[in-house]
Amino acid sequence: MNTQDQLNYTRIAEAIEYIRTHFKEQPNLDEVAEKVHLSPFHFQRLFSEWAGTSPKKFLQYISVEHAKKLLKEEQATLFDTAYETGLSGTSRLHDLFINIEGMTPAEYKNGAKNLDINYSFAESPFGNLIVASTVKGVCFMGFYEDEPTAFAALEAHFPHAEFSRKLDMIQQNALFIFQNDWSKLHEIKLHLKGTDFQLKVWETLLKIPMGQLATYGTIAQKIGNPNASRAVGTAIGSNPVAFLIPCHRVIQSTGTFGGYMWGPTRKTAMIGWEGAKTQTN
């Protein structure tokens, strides 16, 4: 990002954090704009450009009452329907990830030894990220402030792989998701390093429709182990592919959003962004 883009992103992130922590007060446009040192007019325009919706509507999507409403509807019919058949329009987003492949036991045990991994850095509505891929699919995606830290995390996940800084077609198809260009989604493949249990949880996450939420307990039920909520939470926390595998759509049974590997502000932004996109498409 250039200096101005970084400043804009920081301001919007601060605004989202303020809204997230003060949603019960229902802050108005003037109040939030003042917190990020912008005029209401400029803030409204900047926020709408970044999030694709107005601050007021965004606030509606990230409120706890909205989360509870989604959960109530989901548990009644929407999640089960989406899980089995998918929904129309953008809510079918992650149903289009038709290929998820686990690494072989040898690959998993040996830390991806003999695997060739391409990686590149990109920008997204939620900050800078690294994305990496093998010939079989995307194997890693994460949000980091700087490239050295991002690459160190990739190396730690695949300690014996061979790395090349290269943007390939697999990565490009995945990154189109942030541009609202979903024409290549059917070509996205995931190549994941995980246990059988982790892979099962991650596959289930892909079935949560865009704009909808699930609880840890719901995920546990879907994998046929209703008492495994804690283990499900651990598997979700180990998700190596941020956003594409939507662990940000899993919240606590109380309706609160809970923690997130990449920070609660980013999780809140993702939920609101997807909710707004679903409503406007």
Side-chain angles (χ1 to χ4, degrees):
M1 291 186 182
N2 60 39
T3 302
Q4 188 59 51
D5 287 341
Q6 184 63 51
L7 177 60
N8 290 342
Y9 172 75
T10 300
R11 281 173 166 167
I12 297 304
E14 290 176 356
I16 289 172
E17 176 66 10
Y18 183 80
I19 294 171
R20 186 181 72 84
T21 55
H22 293 81
F23 71 91
K24 290 183 180 179
E25 302 165 17
Q26 295 294 295
N28 60 31
L29 177 67
D30 290 354
E31 180 180 348
V32 183
E34 181 181 357
K35 294 296 181 181
V36 295
H37 310 293
L38 292 172
S39 69
F41 175 79
H42 188 196
F43 173 65
Q44 173 92 0
R45 181 175 61 81
L46 185 64
F47 192 98
S48 297
E49 288 177 356
W50 185 87
T53 190
S54 68
K56 181 178 180 180
K57 191 171 183 180
F58 199 92
L59 173 60
Q60 295 172 349
Y61 281 107
I62 67 171
S63 68
V64 173
E65 288 306 311
H66 178 71
K68 289 180 177 178
K69 177 176 179 291
L70 287 176
L71 279 173
K72 182 178 180 181
E73 294 175 350
E74 166 209 302
Q75 291 177 337
T77 58
L78 292 184
F79 186 88
D80 290 340
T81 302
Y83 189 88
E84 298 298 334
T85 64
L87 300 177
S88 61
T90 57
S91 58
R92 292 188 64 250
L93 184 58
H94 285 89
D95 290 331
L96 295 175
F97 288 83
I98 58 175
N99 188 319
I100 180 171
E101 180 174 351
M103 294 185 180
T104 66
E107 290 171 338
Y108 183 82
K109 180 180 179 180
N110 296 328
K113 186 177 181 179
N114 300 324
L115 273 186
D116 293 321
I117 295 178
N118 294 332
Y119 71 95
S120 61
F121 302 99
E123 300 173 4
S124 81
F126 313 110
N128 297 328
L129 59 81
I130 184 173
V131 57
S133 58
T134 69
V135 294
K136 294 182 179 179
V138 174
C139 61
F140 188 83
M141 181 181 286
F143 296 94
Y144 297 92
E145 294 301 320
D146 60 82
E147 294 182 1
T149 302
F151 182 67
L154 175 63
E155 280 190 309
H157 200 74
F158 301 101
H160 304 301
E162 296 293 330
F163 299 99
S164 299
R165 183 167 180 172
K166 176 184 178 182
L167 177 62
D168 58 32
M169 190 58 67
I170 290 175
Q171 297 167 30
Q172 287 181 327
N173 289 341
L175 292 172
F176 282 145
I177 193 173
F178 295 116
Q179 302 172 21
N180 288 350
D181 180 357
W182 299 326
S183 61
K184 301 292 185 180
L185 282 180
H186 66 285
E187 299 180 17
I188 295 178
K189 295 178 176 60
L190 302 174
H191 189 199
L192 303 178
K193 171 187 174 183
T195 64
D196 289 343
F197 181 83
Q198 288 173 328
L199 292 174
K200 198 170 185 179
V201 170
W202 298 338
E203 284 183 304
T204 304
L205 296 183
L206 292 174
K207 299 294 185 177
I208 305 173
M210 184 179 184
Q212 299 295 321
L213 303 173
T215 65
Y216 297 97
T218 301
I219 301 299
Q221 291 175 0
K222 291 300 176 184
I223 64 173
N225 196 343
N227 297 319
S229 294
R230 186 180 296 271
V232 165
T234 301
I236 290 173
S238 302
N239 170 24
V241 182
F243 194 78
L244 294 182
I245 299 177
C247 54
H248 58 278
R249 297 178 187 166
V250 183
I251 67 175
Q252 297 175 0
S253 59
T254 58
T256 56
F257 287 171
Y260 184 54
M261 182 189 303
W262 310 107
T265 296
R266 186 173 277 116
K267 180 175 185 175
T268 302
M270 290 175 176
I271 291 172
W273 187 78
E274 291 188 335
K277 296 297 182 184
T278 302
Q279 290 296 312
T280 57
N281 284 280

